[in-house]
Structure formats: C-alpha cells, structure tokens
Amino acid sequence: MKNRGLALKLTVLILSSVTFIFICIFTYNYFVSRRIIIRNIERNAHNLAQATVSRIDMVLRSIEKVPDTIASFMEYSPQASEDIINLVRMVVSNNPEIYGAAIAFEPNAPGDDNRTFAPYCYRHEGELKLTHITYDYLYWDWYQIPKELNRPAWTEPYYDEGAGDIVMTTYSVPFYGTVDGKRVFMGVVTADVSLDWLRKIVGSIKIAETGYGFTLSKNGTFVTHPDPDLVMNETIFSAAEAQEDAGMRELGRRMIRGKTGFVPFRSLVTQKECWMLYTPLATNGWSLAVLFPQTELMEDITRLTSTVVFLGVAGFLIILGVIIWIAGTITRPIRALSRATEHIAVGNLDVDLPPIKTRDEVGRLTASFDAMRASLRQYIEDLTATTAAKERIESELNIAREIQMGILPKTFPPFPERTEFDIYATVTPAREVGGDLYDFFFMDDDHLCFAVGDVSGKGVPAALFMAVTRTLIKTKALQGLSAATVLTRVNEDLAVENPSMMFVTLFLGILNIRTGEMEYCNAGHNPPYILGSGEEAKPVEPTGGLILGVEADFEYGSKTTRLERGETFFLYTDGVTEAMNPADELFSAARLEKRLAELKGKPVEEIVAGVMDAVNGFVKGAPQADDITMLVIRFHGES
C-alpha cells in the first residue's frame, strides 16, 4: 500500500473505518445481548437452585427435629431396653422421610448396664425391620463425629453395611447422662436418609436438553449425578485430576467451603461448555450445582448474529462502490502538491511549494506544508543546542562519578603495615553515580570500623544521600560509640529534614583485630556471610534493625560474634543477589552462597572478583539494574 495512489488508500481507509464501526456495533450488540441472556440465566439459576436447596433443607430440618427431640428425651427420661426399641420403631413408623433410626449407646457407659446396645429400625420393601447393629460402630463417622464435637452432625454419604445395607447419610445427635454430678456421654440418636430420595429431587432438575444438577458432599464426593459411575466413586478433585483441570480443582475447593458462585464449567457428561450455579445446603454443608448448557441457551442469539452478518456484508459492497467514485474526484488536486513535497522529503527545505489558489482542504494542506518547512528549520536549530547541552551534562556526571569514587577508599591494601587482617572492597554503580557505599577506618589501634550500605533510588540524589550517610557514620564512630549507638544517632540525623523520604539499608561492624571479636548492627541490610571451616557460607544472625532515615526515635540493638583465624567476612548489597538475566531470573542468595563456598580460602581480591564473574556470567549481558557493592575481610589475628 505504500506505493499505491491516494484514491485507493482513501477507499481502503473509509472501508476499514466502516468495517470497524460495523464490527464494533455488531460486537457491542452481540455481547450486550449475550450479557443480558447470561444475567437472566444467572438470575433463573439462583432462583432454581435456591428453590431446590430450600426444598432439600426443609426436609432435612424436619428430619433433624426428630433425633433432637429423642436425644433430649433420653437425657431427661432414661428408658428401659424394650422401651428404647419401641421408641426407635415409632420414630421410623411416624416419619416416612426417615429411612432408618438408631439409638447407639456408649459401651460400658456408667449408670445403666443395659446401655450397651444399638437397636436399629429401618424400612425394607415397604415394611419396618428391627435389628441390632452388630459391627463395631464406635469408629464410624455417624457415631464418632458427634461424640468428639459434642454437637449434632451430618455424616458423609456411606454404605451402611450390616444394618440398612444402602447408601445413606446420617444425622446424629449426642445425648448425655449425669453421674456423680458430672455430665457423661451416653450415646447418639441417629436418623438415616436414603440418598435415593435426594437423587429424585436433584434428578428432577432439567435445563434445556442436556442441563442437569448434582450434589457434592463436604469432602467433594459426588452424592448425586446423572453419571452413576461418579456417584460415591469419584470426587470433584479426582475428576479434575483425570481431566488435568486446575480450574475445576479450585472450583471444588470453593464448593466444599460453602461458597456460592456462577462460573463457566465443562459438563462431565457431554463435555460441552456450560454455566454452573453452585450454592451450599445450609443444613448439612453439602453443595448443590446446576448446569446450564451454553450452546443450547445461546442458540437464538447465534441465529440473529448470522442474519446481522449477512446484512453487513451486503451494505459493505454498496458502500464500496460509492467510495471509489468519490475518492477519484478528491485526489486529483493533491497530486500536484505531492510532486512538490517530494523535494522536502529528501531534505530540501528551500523548494517552492505550489501557489495557494483555493481555501479548501488542498489549500490548507499546502499552507500546512509551508508551516512545517519553517518548523523543521527551527527544530534543527533547537536540536543542535539540545545536543550540546546534553554533552555538557554527561561531562558533569562523569566528573560527579570521579568525585564519588574519590570519597570511597580505593587503595588496597589500605593498611599494609597491619598483618592482623586483609580487606578488599569494590562498588559498581548502575548509573554514572550511585547510592551504594562502603567505608572502613580505625577507631583506635585495635578496633576497625567498617560499613556497607544501599541508599534508596539511583543517580545524583542517592549519591548525595550516600555521602551524607558516610560522613555521619565516620563522625559518630570516631567518638568511640558502640555499633548500635552509632546507627541510632545516624538514624536520628537522617530522619530529620528528610522531605524526599529517602532511606538507606546499612550494616555496621566493629572488629577487634587482635581477638577477632566483632560487634555489629544491621539496619535492614542483607545479612553478611562468614566463610569458616565448614563447607557452606553461614549468614550472621540478624539484629532486627529498621532501615535508616525512616523513624527518628528508633533504638537499634547490636550483637557480637567472633571471627576465628583464617575466617572471612563477606558483605554485599542487594545488587548482587537481585542481578537479573534476560529471562527475568534473579541471581539469588542461593547462587551467592554456592559461589562463596567455592571461593572459600581464596585471597580477598579473588573472592570479590569470583563473585562478580559469577554475576556477570549469570546476567548474560542484561543491563545492570542496581548498584553492586562488596566488601571482604579476612581475620588473621596477632602474629
């Protein structure tokens, strides 16, 4: 299209605009209509689900009242064995929604020798059957959970082997007796509900042709589902694992937590996309879900969309013919201007433009080109001046870098006459000037003070804040103060009159070069490492200090450690561990510790160089994002 005429470009532009507008209108209409339909579906889903939940909860609550009443009756009116059996039979006989009921006693419960049995009455082929639970029920959920929780509870669905011999869920209510003035657990009263009844209620949910409902237990087990292979055999989590669907797994977590939601979901029966409304059953904590098939419910809007697309294509063809005719009449006077402006395109700003004969768009365009030519001349002059100013600023920044580097100690070894230790340090700013700092100096003949810090931000402000911090540290330390007192007073000075809210992380240590004892204080800085006789680099214990310059009245604390002969102390700033490669991976403390372990025993200069080489090899030429500073001390002690 670059070499095509303006008429063609105009035609394409207008048609593209019309097409874009049509697509926008069509898309807006489609998605608004879709959103309205989805909103209505969601509203109807909530209503349907709530009605079903209310229906189920109403029955379950009516069931709960029966064992609640029997439990209270057993507490206040202890019964003989025959009366208990009759009571169980009466509960099932008078409550058709209850499949079975039992009163199970705690074996060897005090107070009554007869309370060591569990009569159970249930329905079988239209008749009432009475039996006694012979299996060891003490560890079944329907008995153990209410006993341990001291409150009524619904169980997970289970197969009641030996009594009801069906899949059911049980509502259990504990009851108690009084022995020697103490409340003692005596047993539970249960009411069983057959899941066949629940399947009929949930199975009656039909949405379009393939929509359906299902229920999950509190553990995510399928209690009811159109696919019988899932019921009591699978959980929503096992189904998610089988389909490798992390979204279904998260949905299952929300359902068993009792949440309510309306979300997209792939049907486990048809594998088609659906909308699913899920909501909890208030009575037993299970969850009910109703699926609405998207394709079936969106069929009408899909048909309408096809009709709108057909009408849009027809209109597009009509507009195409009209635009081609109009474009040809507009472009002819522009060709003359095009030939004149070709000279401007190659840099000839002195070329004469065609005379302005009209005041229409072409005339105004010619006047604009003339104004542009004058503006270009002025821009070139301004750019020349700006370039000169930039070069001057770069020169000043280079001078500032030299001044900043001159502030820091850079002669190594700095104390050649002292054999008690070796020391080496380096700083690599990310910009011309940076905010990292290091310093070391003698407080007296026996005590070496050293520090490494990292100022927030980069550039000139950070460099100035660094210089102030370094000066304050040296001034306070030379007064013979402890490490904690030095940082406390430096923090007070930095926090006052700090409108830009700059801060600095800093580690300060005071080393007795004769004994190896070191007092240190850490103000929010990366923990240094000690390279000793072990195979791994060992970080020093933190002191819990806050970063400097934030809270003026913060009191810093210090700790002490001892460097043995030959041990090395390694300090650094986060520019080392946070160096990033092109894949946005960090160098990390783990890689630093591994590299330090490899460099253990090397001269201090080689340790710094080795870590720097590892960082450079890791970043693979990626731009340096933060200042990198390292300081290494090896303790030798007195000869």
Side-chain angles (χ1 to χ4, degrees), residues 170-186:
T170 301
Y171 179 68
S172 304
V173 182
F175 64 91
Y176 304 84
T178 302
V179 178
D180 296 331
K182 296 182 180 180
R183 193 166 183 258
V184 178
F185 174 78
M186 302 298 291

Side-chain angles (χ1 to χ4, degrees), residues 15 183 257 268 324 389 567 571 625:
L15 284 178
R183 193 166 183 258
R257 291 172 185 163
L268 297 177
I324 292 176
E567 287 190 334
L571 297 94

Side-chain angles (χ1 to χ4, degrees), residues 42-83:
E42 183 175 1
R43 185 184 303 112
N44 293 334
H46 277 284
N47 294 337
L48 175 60
Q50 193 58 47
T52 305
V53 167
S54 299
R55 182 181 174 190
I56 296 173
D57 282 341
M58 181 176 63
V59 175
L60 295 180
R61 287 194 181 97
S62 66
I63 293 173
E64 288 180 348
K65 293 179 181 179
V66 176
D68 288 341
T69 302
I70 299 301
S72 299
F73 179 74
M74 293 297 297
E75 290 186 359
Y76 294 103
S77 300
Q79 303 293 311
S81 299
E82 187 64 30
D83 294 334

Side-chain angles (χ1 to χ4, degrees), residues 398-438:
N398 290 330
I399 295 173
R401 176 187 176 90
E402 294 176 0
I403 294 174
Q404 183 187 25
M405 292 299 101
I407 294 176
L408 303 177
K410 57 181 180 297
T411 300
F412 295 98
F415 312 109
E417 72 282 359
R418 306 306 296 258
T419 61
E420 295 89 346
F421 65 95
D422 294 330
I423 188 168
Y424 187 77
T426 182
V427 59
T428 306
R431 298 182 182 176
E432 287 81 0
V433 289
D436 278 10
L437 68 98
Y438 70 84

